[in-house]
Amino acid sequence: MKLRMLSLYLLLNITAISAQTRVEKISPTRALGNGVIYMLPRTSFIVNAEVTKISVKSGPYYKYAERYLGVKDVPTEDRTYYELGEITLTNKGVPDENNKFMIEFRQKTVAPFVYLTEDGLLCAINAEYTSEAEPQQKKIADSHKTVATSPTPALTEELLMAGSVAKQAEVAAKQIYRLRESKTDILTGDADNMPPDGEAMKLVISKLEEQEKALINLFTGTETRETSYFDVSILPDDELEREVLFRFSSKLGILDDDDLAGEPVYMNLKALERAPEPVFQEAMKKEKERKGVIYNVPGKALVEIVRANKKILKRETLVVQFGTQETLAPVILEDKKQPVKVVFYPETGSIKQITK
């Protein structure tokens, strides 16, 4: 069994960046029997796909682009298409209701405290913990919309009075060449009215180039690019073979995994190292024997994302489902003089650091 969720971040109208995972400091209470309840995670994967929507608008004089400007292969009609960009993979710990435990502290010992995420995953014991920024925050901050510069061209009387599209194109082309000549005269110092200083020259050149570009766009058209990010969340029980994450179409963009209008993008997940079962595992499964702090020892796996038989992402990563659990003896947390500090990886539930 596996769970999947497809979500879209349209990053063009974002007004605020979502906050990073909230981590709370919690102390044992009498209501909890002088303990703190926490959960261990399972490994889920978030596959992030960058998709660019490209909108092309043809120019009114596209038929004359090659004749007057020597430009070939200009768009002859309006169209929209999509490009699939960078694919990234992120591990995320999902709370496992079947692995819920309590950290018990004895009375008259050093005052303990525990850091948990807002959904109950263990972060630290007796140690300060600062959560790291969510990976998607950078994606949101880096989103963009790029529109080809298309200022309004200054239409001359001759152009406005032209009686046909062919004549308008001819007049527009002549105006483009006059603008280029004016720019060249200024740069070479041959203009009759030279700008008084360097800053004025830059401004004049900029305006001439702006008008030239506006007129050229009447022949070559314009292009708008909009970048969006799609997340696919998948929670595997075991290995995966050619699991369809989503489908992609150059005409429609990202599609659901069962929409045959697009080509599939697959995910393979193969266990490389499965953590060995601890000694006396059967005894440890009995709740009465598990008095310490239970933590995960994840296994190692290889993740591949494939499109059109080409591997577009290949990475080794830790996976809780391929691992096991161990117990941290409670006695090491009860030293009054030098309390032990333990920091965990919330996304895997494994130990990151133990210090005094």
Side-chain angles (χ1 to χ4, degrees):
M1 176 184 176
K2 51 193 172 295
L3 301 178
R4 181 190 290 104
M5 180 177 67
L6 174 65
S7 59
L8 161 65
Y9 295 91
L10 280 177
L11 305 180
L12 307 176
N13 299 306
I14 295 294
T15 57
I17 296 177
S18 59
Q20 62 190 38
T21 300
R22 185 164 58 90
V23 177
E24 295 183 301
K25 180 178 180 180
I26 302 174
S27 297
T29 64
R30 291 183 180 179
L32 295 176
N34 201 38
V36 173
I37 295 175
Y38 70 96
M39 284 185 287
L40 290 178
R42 298 178 69 198
T43 297
S44 69
F45 296 102
I46 299 177
V47 179
N48 182 268
E50 179 186 71
V51 179
T52 301
K53 177 182 178 181
I54 303 169
S55 301
V56 178
K57 186 177 179 61
S58 63
Y61 308 150
Y62 71 86
K63 292 182 179 180
Y64 308 96
E66 184 175 2
R67 179 190 299 180
Y68 293 123
L69 302 181
V71 180
K72 299 180 180 180
D73 300 324
V74 298
T76 60
E77 60 183 2
D78 297 350
R79 66 190 182 101
T80 299
Y81 63 98
Y82 296 82
E83 291 181 350
L84 183 60
E86 182 184 15
I87 300 288
T88 59
L89 179 76
T90 304
N91 284 37
K92 184 176 182 180
V94 178
D96 186 355
E97 289 286 344
N98 295 322
N99 280 286
K100 183 182 292 186
F101 306 97
M102 176 184 287
I103 300 175
E104 293 183 296
F105 294 97
R106 297 178 184 178
Q107 296 181 358
K108 298 181 181 180
T109 62
V110 62
F113 59 90
V114 174
Y115 277 93
L116 301 179
T117 65
E118 57 187 333
D119 47 7
L121 296 178
L122 185 59
C123 297
I125 302 174
N126 293 333
E128 297 292 329
Y129 184 87
T130 302
S131 60
E132 297 179 357
E134 295 287 339
Q136 285 306 312
Q137 289 187 25
K138 185 177 185 301
K139 290 287 187 183
I140 294 174
D142 289 348
S143 65
H144 60 276
K145 177 178 181 179
T146 304
V147 182
T149 304
S150 183
T152 302
L155 304 179
T156 63
E157 181 180 0
E158 184 183 4
L159 180 60
L160 294 172
M161 295 298 291
S164 65
V165 174
K167 183 62 176 178
Q168 290 174 356
E170 181 182 355
V171 173
K174 289 180 179 179
Q175 192 170 341
I176 290 171
Y177 289 116
R178 283 197 294 268
L179 289 170
R180 291 176 178 176
E181 289 174 2
S182 297
K183 182 172 65 174
T184 300
D185 289 343
I186 292 174
L187 293 174
T188 58
D190 294 333
D192 293 334
N193 296 307
M194 287 292 294
D197 54 43
E199 289 301 318
M201 179 182 290
K202 290 180 181 179
L203 179 60
V204 172
I205 294 296
S206 175
K207 291 298 181 181
L208 290 173
E209 290 177 343
E210 182 180 287
Q211 281 303 304
E212 180 185 346
K213 178 62 175 176
L215 289 166
I216 290 175
N217 286 344
L218 296 176
F219 293 87
T220 62
T222 58
E223 182 181 283
T224 301
R225 304 175 70 90
E226 302 177 45
T227 300
S228 304
Y229 293 95
F230 290 77
D231 278 350
V232 180
S233 298
I234 187 165
L235 180 60
D237 281 336
D238 209 314
E239 295 184 338
L240 301 175
E241 180 69 24
R242 293 178 66 82
E243 180 70 22
V244 179
L245 295 172
F246 58 87
R247 292 177 181 266
F248 177 79
S249 166
S250 60
K251 294 181 179 180
L252 302 173
I254 291 283
L255 302 172
D256 289 336
D257 62 307
D258 57 354
D259 191 332
L260 300 182
E263 65 172 349
V265 176
Y266 300 104
M267 178 176 179
N268 298 325
L269 177 66
K270 182 179 180 181
L272 298 178
E273 295 178 11
R274 292 182 183 267
E277 294 290 317
V279 180
F280 307 121
Q281 176 70 8
E282 291 301 321
M284 289 185 63
K285 289 181 180 178
K286 298 178 181 180
E287 194 64 31
K288 63 180 182 179
E289 298 294 335
R290 309 183 77 172
K291 296 299 183 182
V293 178
I294 311 300
Y295 63 93
N296 285 333
V297 180
K300 184 183 292 186
L302 175 66
V303 179
E304 296 176 339
I305 296 180
V306 182
R307 177 192 178 194
N309 295 322
K310 180 180 179 181
K311 295 176 183 178
I312 56 179
L313 185 146
K314 183 177 180 180
R315 199 180 89 187
E316 292 186 6
T317 186
L318 298 178
V319 178
V320 172
Q321 288 87 314
F322 299 152
T324 186
Q325 295 177 347
E326 294 284 359
T327 303
L328 191 63
V331 66
I332 71 170
L333 301 174
E334 298 171 357
D335 189 327
K336 295 182 180 180
K337 296 181 179 180
Q338 289 185 309
V340 171
K341 302 176 181 179
V342 187
V343 180
F344 299 84
Y345 292 104
E347 63 272 16
T348 61
S350 58
I351 294 177
K352 179 179 182 180
Q353 186 180 45
I354 299 178
T355 59
K356 283 193 175 184

